[in-house]
Amino acid sequence: MEKLDLKKTRRDLFTAPHNRFVPIDVPPASYLMADGHGDPNTAPAYKQAVESLYATAYTIKFACKAAGRDFVVAPLEGLWSAPDPESFTARRKDEWDWTMMIMVPDYVDQKAFEAARTKAAAKLGTISDSLRLERLEEGLCLQALHVGSYDDEGPLLASLHREIMPSGGYDFAGPHHEIYLSDPRKVPPEKLKTLLRQPVKQG
C-alpha cells in the first residue's frame, strides 16, 4: 500500500531558504484545528489542544489505512495572532492567541473526522472543545526557514515586519503561521527547524 506523505506531495509548503523570506502561493488545504490563548509553555489549553490533534490525526490515519489509503501524519503547525504584532518580536507570550493544526489529506471528510473525534475523546477522557476539521486558504505568503530556539525567532520576524514587508509594499493578510519540522522532545533547541509564514497582500 502506497503511503501519502504531504511533506513530499506538497513540498513547497514545507521548505524555504534559511533566514530569507521568499514569496509562495499557498493553495487551500484541510486541517485539524484547535484554538486557545496564552503562553504555550504554561497554558493547560495548549497541551490539551496538541494532544487532541494528535490523537484525532492518528485515529483518522488508522481508519484510512484500514480502508486502503494510508498517509503519514503531517507536522504540527500553528497560527499565531495578537492585537500588537510586536508581541511576537518581543516574545510577550501571554498576549498570544493561537490555533494549532495538523494538515490532513483532502479526502478526509467531516464524517471521518467526527468518527475519529469520538474515538479520540474516549481514549483521552477529555478533548478540546474547539477541535474541528476546516479548510484554510492563505494565498500569497512570505516564508522562511528559522533554525534554532523558538525564542530566537524575534530578529527574523522583526526584519520581516519592519523591512521586508514595507519595502515590498506588503500588508498583513492573516495570522503569523509556523510549521514545526523538528520534534522539540528529540532535537536540541539550537537545531530546531521551523518554517515561518506570513500571509500578505499588496498595500
PDB file of all heavy atoms in Angstrom, residues 6-29:
ATOM      1  N   LEU A   6       2.303  14.145   2.734  1.00  0.00           N
ATOM      2  CA  LEU A   6       2.009  15.512   2.299  1.00  0.00           C
ATOM      3  C   LEU A   6       3.260  16.382   2.238  1.00  0.00           C
ATOM      4  O   LEU A   6       3.328  17.337   1.456  1.00  0.00           O
ATOM      5  CB  LEU A   6       0.960  16.141   3.221  1.00  0.00           C
ATOM      6  CG  LEU A   6      -0.429  15.493   3.165  1.00  0.00           C
ATOM      7  CD1 LEU A   6      -1.314  16.032   4.285  1.00  0.00           C
ATOM      8  CD2 LEU A   6      -1.086  15.724   1.816  1.00  0.00           C
ATOM      9  N   LYS A   7       4.265  16.079   3.058  1.00  0.00           N
ATOM     10  CA  LYS A   7       5.513  16.848   3.023  1.00  0.00           C
ATOM     11  C   LYS A   7       6.227  16.680   1.685  1.00  0.00           C
ATOM     12  O   LYS A   7       6.999  17.555   1.281  1.00  0.00           O
ATOM     13  CB  LYS A   7       6.446  16.418   4.157  1.00  0.00           C
ATOM     14  CG  LYS A   7       6.054  16.954   5.529  1.00  0.00           C
ATOM     15  CD  LYS A   7       7.001  16.469   6.596  1.00  0.00           C
ATOM     16  CE  LYS A   7       8.397  17.023   6.400  1.00  0.00           C
ATOM     17  NZ  LYS A   7       9.341  16.581   7.461  1.00  0.00           N
ATOM     18  N   LYS A   8       5.966  15.565   1.007  1.00  0.00           N
ATOM     19  CA  LYS A   8       6.590  15.318  -0.292  1.00  0.00           C
ATOM     20  C   LYS A   8       5.689  15.778  -1.439  1.00  0.00           C
ATOM     21  O   LYS A   8       6.153  16.407  -2.381  1.00  0.00           O
ATOM     22  CB  LYS A   8       6.919  13.834  -0.439  1.00  0.00           C
ATOM     23  CG  LYS A   8       7.980  13.343   0.541  1.00  0.00           C
ATOM     24  CD  LYS A   8       8.250  11.852   0.370  1.00  0.00           C
ATOM     25  CE  LYS A   8       9.328  11.365   1.338  1.00  0.00           C
ATOM     26  NZ  LYS A   8       9.572   9.908   1.208  1.00  0.00           N
ATOM     27  N   THR A   9       4.391  15.476  -1.351  1.00  0.00           N
ATOM     28  CA  THR A   9       3.488  15.854  -2.446  1.00  0.00           C
ATOM     29  C   THR A   9       3.222  17.357  -2.470  1.00  0.00           C
ATOM     30  O   THR A   9       2.883  17.909  -3.511  1.00  0.00           O
ATOM     31  CB  THR A   9       2.154  15.097  -2.341  1.00  0.00           C
ATOM     32  OG1 THR A   9       1.516  15.406  -1.092  1.00  0.00           O
ATOM     33  CG2 THR A   9       2.376  13.596  -2.420  1.00  0.00           C
ATOM     34  N   ARG A  10       3.366  18.025  -1.323  1.00  0.00           N
ATOM     35  CA  ARG A  10       3.204  19.474  -1.246  1.00  0.00           C
ATOM     36  C   ARG A  10       4.486  20.104  -0.707  1.00  0.00           C
ATOM     37  O   ARG A  10       4.485  20.923   0.207  1.00  0.00           O
ATOM     38  CB  ARG A  10       2.011  19.832  -0.353  1.00  0.00           C
ATOM     39  CG  ARG A  10       0.698  19.250  -0.867  1.00  0.00           C
ATOM     40  CD  ARG A  10      -0.486  19.642  -0.019  1.00  0.00           C
ATOM     41  NE  ARG A  10      -1.719  19.121  -0.571  1.00  0.00           N
ATOM     42  CZ  ARG A  10      -2.933  19.328  -0.043  1.00  0.00           C
ATOM     43  NH1 ARG A  10      -3.061  20.080   1.041  1.00  0.00           N
ATOM     44  NH2 ARG A  10      -3.996  18.804  -0.593  1.00  0.00           N
ATOM     45  N   ARG A  11       5.586  19.714  -1.335  1.00  0.00           N
ATOM     46  CA  ARG A  11       6.914  20.054  -0.834  1.00  0.00           C
ATOM     47  C   ARG A  11       7.115  21.560  -0.656  1.00  0.00           C
ATOM     48  O   ARG A  11       7.764  21.997   0.302  1.00  0.00           O
ATOM     49  CB  ARG A  11       7.974  19.493  -1.794  1.00  0.00           C
ATOM     50  CG  ARG A  11       9.404  19.670  -1.297  1.00  0.00           C
ATOM     51  CD  ARG A  11      10.415  18.996  -2.222  1.00  0.00           C
ATOM     52  NE  ARG A  11      11.768  19.162  -1.714  1.00  0.00           N
ATOM     53  CZ  ARG A  11      12.521  20.231  -1.933  1.00  0.00           C
ATOM     54  NH1 ARG A  11      12.041  21.233  -2.668  1.00  0.00           N
ATOM     55  NH2 ARG A  11      13.744  20.312  -1.431  1.00  0.00           N
ATOM     56  N   ASP A  12       6.576  22.369  -1.561  1.00  0.00           N
ATOM     57  CA  ASP A  12       6.758  23.825  -1.472  1.00  0.00           C
ATOM     58  C   ASP A  12       6.230  24.400  -0.165  1.00  0.00           C
ATOM     59  O   ASP A  12       6.700  25.454   0.287  1.00  0.00           O
ATOM     60  CB  ASP A  12       6.062  24.521  -2.639  1.00  0.00           C
ATOM     61  CG  ASP A  12       6.782  24.291  -3.959  1.00  0.00           C
ATOM     62  OD1 ASP A  12       7.898  23.733  -3.927  1.00  0.00           O
ATOM     63  OD2 ASP A  12       6.231  24.652  -5.010  1.00  0.00           O
ATOM     64  N   LEU A  13       5.244  23.722   0.431  1.00  0.00           N
ATOM     65  CA  LEU A  13       4.643  24.220   1.672  1.00  0.00           C
ATOM     66  C   LEU A  13       5.505  23.904   2.891  1.00  0.00           C
ATOM     67  O   LEU A  13       5.254  24.425   3.976  1.00  0.00           O
ATOM     68  CB  LEU A  13       3.247  23.623   1.856  1.00  0.00           C
ATOM     69  CG  LEU A  13       2.245  23.842   0.722  1.00  0.00           C
ATOM     70  CD1 LEU A  13       0.879  23.281   1.112  1.00  0.00           C
ATOM     71  CD2 LEU A  13       2.135  25.324   0.370  1.00  0.00           C
ATOM     72  N   PHE A  14       6.498  23.041   2.709  1.00  0.00           N
ATOM     73  CA  PHE A  14       7.303  22.587   3.841  1.00  0.00           C
ATOM     74  C   PHE A  14       8.792  22.877   3.660  1.00  0.00           C
ATOM     75  O   PHE A  14       9.628  22.311   4.355  1.00  0.00           O
ATOM     76  CB  PHE A  14       7.092  21.084   4.073  1.00  0.00           C
ATOM     77  CG  PHE A  14       5.689  20.733   4.488  1.00  0.00           C
ATOM     78  CD1 PHE A  14       4.756  20.332   3.548  1.00  0.00           C
ATOM     79  CD2 PHE A  14       5.291  20.823   5.820  1.00  0.00           C
ATOM     80  CE1 PHE A  14       3.453  20.008   3.915  1.00  0.00           C
ATOM     81  CE2 PHE A  14       3.994  20.506   6.197  1.00  0.00           C
ATOM     82  CZ  PHE A  14       3.076  20.100   5.255  1.00  0.00           C
ATOM     83  N   THR A  15       9.129  23.780   2.724  1.00  0.00           N
ATOM     84  CA  THR A  15      10.528  24.147   2.502  1.00  0.00           C
ATOM     85  C   THR A  15      10.638  25.658   2.293  1.00  0.00           C
ATOM     86  O   THR A  15       9.685  26.298   1.849  1.00  0.00           O
ATOM     87  CB  THR A  15      11.114  23.442   1.264  1.00  0.00           C
ATOM     88  OG1 THR A  15      10.333  23.780   0.120  1.00  0.00           O
ATOM     89  CG2 THR A  15      11.131  21.935   1.450  1.00  0.00           C
ATOM     90  N   ALA A  16      11.815  26.202   2.616  1.00  0.00           N
ATOM     91  CA  ALA A  16      12.099  27.625   2.404  1.00  0.00           C
ATOM     92  C   ALA A  16      13.579  27.856   2.653  1.00  0.00           C
ATOM     93  O   ALA A  16      14.238  27.080   3.357  1.00  0.00           O
ATOM     94  CB  ALA A  16      11.267  28.503   3.334  1.00  0.00           C
ATOM     95  N   PRO A  17      14.139  28.933   2.110  1.00  0.00           N
ATOM     96  CA  PRO A  17      15.550  29.251   2.371  1.00  0.00           C
ATOM     97  C   PRO A  17      15.757  29.620   3.850  1.00  0.00           C
ATOM     98  O   PRO A  17      14.874  30.187   4.495  1.00  0.00           O
ATOM     99  CB  PRO A  17      15.822  30.460   1.467  1.00  0.00           C
ATOM    100  CG  PRO A  17      14.715  30.468   0.464  1.00  0.00           C
ATOM    101  CD  PRO A  17      13.532  29.876   1.148  1.00  0.00           C
ATOM    102  N   HIS A  18      16.951  29.325   4.326  1.00  0.00           N
ATOM    103  CA  HIS A  18      17.309  29.645   5.706  1.00  0.00           C
ATOM    104  C   HIS A  18      17.460  31.161   5.878  1.00  0.00           C
ATOM    105  O   HIS A  18      18.232  31.799   5.155  1.00  0.00           O
ATOM    106  CB  HIS A  18      18.613  28.936   6.061  1.00  0.00           C
ATOM    107  CG  HIS A  18      19.065  29.157   7.464  1.00  0.00           C
ATOM    108  ND1 HIS A  18      20.382  29.208   7.836  1.00  0.00           N
ATOM    109  CD2 HIS A  18      18.360  29.355   8.613  1.00  0.00           C
ATOM    110  CE1 HIS A  18      20.482  29.421   9.129  1.00  0.00           C
ATOM    111  NE2 HIS A  18      19.269  29.514   9.629  1.00  0.00           N
ATOM    112  N   ASN A  19      16.671  31.719   6.804  1.00  0.00           N
ATOM    113  CA  ASN A  19      16.755  33.147   7.161  1.00  0.00           C
ATOM    114  C   ASN A  19      16.464  34.097   5.991  1.00  0.00           C
ATOM    115  O   ASN A  19      16.873  35.261   6.031  1.00  0.00           O
ATOM    116  CB  ASN A  19      18.133  33.485   7.747  1.00  0.00           C
ATOM    117  CG  ASN A  19      18.277  33.032   9.182  1.00  0.00           C
ATOM    118  OD1 ASN A  19      17.296  32.694   9.842  1.00  0.00           O
ATOM    119  ND2 ASN A  19      19.503  32.985   9.664  1.00  0.00           N
ATOM    120  N   ARG A  20      15.752  33.626   4.986  1.00  0.00           N
ATOM    121  CA  ARG A  20      15.424  34.503   3.852  1.00  0.00           C
ATOM    122  C   ARG A  20      13.973  34.274   3.437  1.00  0.00           C
ATOM    123  O   ARG A  20      13.607  33.156   3.064  1.00  0.00           O
ATOM    124  CB  ARG A  20      16.365  34.249   2.682  1.00  0.00           C
ATOM    125  CG  ARG A  20      16.075  35.139   1.472  1.00  0.00           C
ATOM    126  CD  ARG A  20      17.220  35.080   0.468  1.00  0.00           C
ATOM    127  NE  ARG A  20      17.390  33.762  -0.106  1.00  0.00           N
ATOM    128  CZ  ARG A  20      16.751  33.327  -1.208  1.00  0.00           C
ATOM    129  NH1 ARG A  20      15.883  34.124  -1.827  1.00  0.00           N
ATOM    130  NH2 ARG A  20      16.975  32.129  -1.688  1.00  0.00           N
ATOM    131  N   PHE A  21      13.171  35.324   3.499  1.00  0.00           N
ATOM    132  CA  PHE A  21      11.766  35.206   3.148  1.00  0.00           C
ATOM    133  C   PHE A  21      11.596  35.255   1.631  1.00  0.00           C
ATOM    134  O   PHE A  21      12.172  36.120   0.959  1.00  0.00           O
ATOM    135  CB  PHE A  21      10.948  36.328   3.797  1.00  0.00           C
ATOM    136  CG  PHE A  21      10.634  36.069   5.242  1.00  0.00           C
ATOM    137  CD1 PHE A  21      11.448  36.582   6.240  1.00  0.00           C
ATOM    138  CD2 PHE A  21       9.531  35.306   5.597  1.00  0.00           C
ATOM    139  CE1 PHE A  21      11.166  36.340   7.575  1.00  0.00           C
ATOM    140  CE2 PHE A  21       9.245  35.059   6.928  1.00  0.00           C
ATOM    141  CZ  PHE A  21      10.061  35.568   7.925  1.00  0.00           C
ATOM    142  N   VAL A  22      10.817  34.306   1.122  1.00  0.00           N
ATOM    143  CA  VAL A  22      10.505  34.255  -0.307  1.00  0.00           C
ATOM    144  C   VAL A  22       8.989  34.159  -0.460  1.00  0.00           C
ATOM    145  O   VAL A  22       8.293  33.624   0.414  1.00  0.00           O
ATOM    146  CB  VAL A  22      11.181  33.052  -0.992  1.00  0.00           C
ATOM    147  CG1 VAL A  22      12.691  33.208  -0.986  1.00  0.00           C
ATOM    148  CG2 VAL A  22      10.768  31.737  -0.340  1.00  0.00           C
ATOM    149  N   PRO A  23       8.444  34.672  -1.564  1.00  0.00           N
ATOM    150  CA  PRO A  23       7.008  34.575  -1.792  1.00  0.00           C
ATOM    151  C   PRO A  23       6.601  33.156  -2.155  1.00  0.00           C
ATOM    152  O   PRO A  23       7.352  32.430  -2.823  1.00  0.00           O
ATOM    153  CB  PRO A  23       6.756  35.548  -2.947  1.00  0.00           C
ATOM    154  CG  PRO A  23       8.065  35.659  -3.645  1.00  0.00           C
ATOM    155  CD  PRO A  23       9.124  35.467  -2.614  1.00  0.00           C
ATOM    156  N   ILE A  24       5.411  32.757  -1.726  1.00  0.00           N
ATOM    157  CA  ILE A  24       4.871  31.447  -2.034  1.00  0.00           C
ATOM    158  C   ILE A  24       3.355  31.578  -2.133  1.00  0.00           C
ATOM    159  O   ILE A  24       2.739  32.328  -1.360  1.00  0.00           O
ATOM    160  CB  ILE A  24       5.265  30.403  -0.949  1.00  0.00           C
ATOM    161  CG1 ILE A  24       4.629  29.033  -1.254  1.00  0.00           C
ATOM    162  CG2 ILE A  24       4.905  30.884   0.442  1.00  0.00           C
ATOM    163  CD1 ILE A  24       5.067  27.943  -0.284  1.00  0.00           C
ATOM    164  N   ASP A  25       2.765  30.888  -3.083  1.00  0.00           N
ATOM    165  CA  ASP A  25       1.311  30.877  -3.227  1.00  0.00           C
ATOM    166  C   ASP A  25       0.791  29.602  -2.585  1.00  0.00           C
ATOM    167  O   ASP A  25       1.056  28.505  -3.074  1.00  0.00           O
ATOM    168  CB  ASP A  25       0.920  30.933  -4.709  1.00  0.00           C
ATOM    169  CG  ASP A  25      -0.579  31.084  -4.901  1.00  0.00           C
ATOM    170  OD1 ASP A  25      -1.250  31.550  -3.951  1.00  0.00           O
ATOM    171  OD2 ASP A  25      -1.092  30.736  -5.981  1.00  0.00           O
ATOM    172  N   VAL A  26       0.095  29.748  -1.472  1.00  0.00           N
ATOM    173  CA  VAL A  26      -0.352  28.600  -0.685  1.00  0.00           C
ATOM    174  C   VAL A  26      -1.787  28.239  -1.069  1.00  0.00           C
ATOM    175  O   VAL A  26      -2.715  29.022  -0.840  1.00  0.00           O
ATOM    176  CB  VAL A  26      -0.263  28.896   0.829  1.00  0.00           C
ATOM    177  CG1 VAL A  26      -0.703  27.691   1.630  1.00  0.00           C
ATOM    178  CG2 VAL A  26       1.166  29.296   1.201  1.00  0.00           C
ATOM    179  N   PRO A  27      -2.006  27.049  -1.634  1.00  0.00           N
ATOM    180  CA  PRO A  27      -3.355  26.641  -2.035  1.00  0.00           C
ATOM    181  C   PRO A  27      -4.173  26.207  -0.830  1.00  0.00           C
ATOM    182  O   PRO A  27      -3.631  26.010   0.267  1.00  0.00           O
ATOM    183  CB  PRO A  27      -3.095  25.470  -2.972  1.00  0.00           C
ATOM    184  CG  PRO A  27      -1.821  24.868  -2.462  1.00  0.00           C
ATOM    185  CD  PRO A  27      -0.996  26.032  -1.972  1.00  0.00           C
ATOM    186  N   PRO A  28      -5.492  26.041  -0.995  1.00  0.00           N
ATOM    187  CA  PRO A  28      -6.331  25.569   0.107  1.00  0.00           C
ATOM    188  C   PRO A  28      -5.876  24.193   0.589  1.00  0.00           C
ATOM    189  O   PRO A  28      -5.411  23.364  -0.202  1.00  0.00           O
ATOM    190  CB  PRO A  28      -7.730  25.501  -0.508  1.00  0.00           C
ATOM    191  CG  PRO A  28      -7.683  26.387  -1.706  1.00  0.00           C
ATOM    192  CD  PRO A  28      -6.278  26.315  -2.218  1.00  0.00           C
ATOM    193  N   ALA A  29      -6.013  23.958   1.884  1.00  0.00           N
ATOM    194  CA  ALA A  29      -5.659  22.667   2.471  1.00  0.00           C
ATOM    195  C   ALA A  29      -6.585  22.392   3.649  1.00  0.00           C
ATOM    196  O   ALA A  29      -7.127  23.315   4.268  1.00  0.00           O
ATOM    197  CB  ALA A  29      -4.207  22.658   2.924  1.00  0.00           C
TER     198      ALA A  29
END
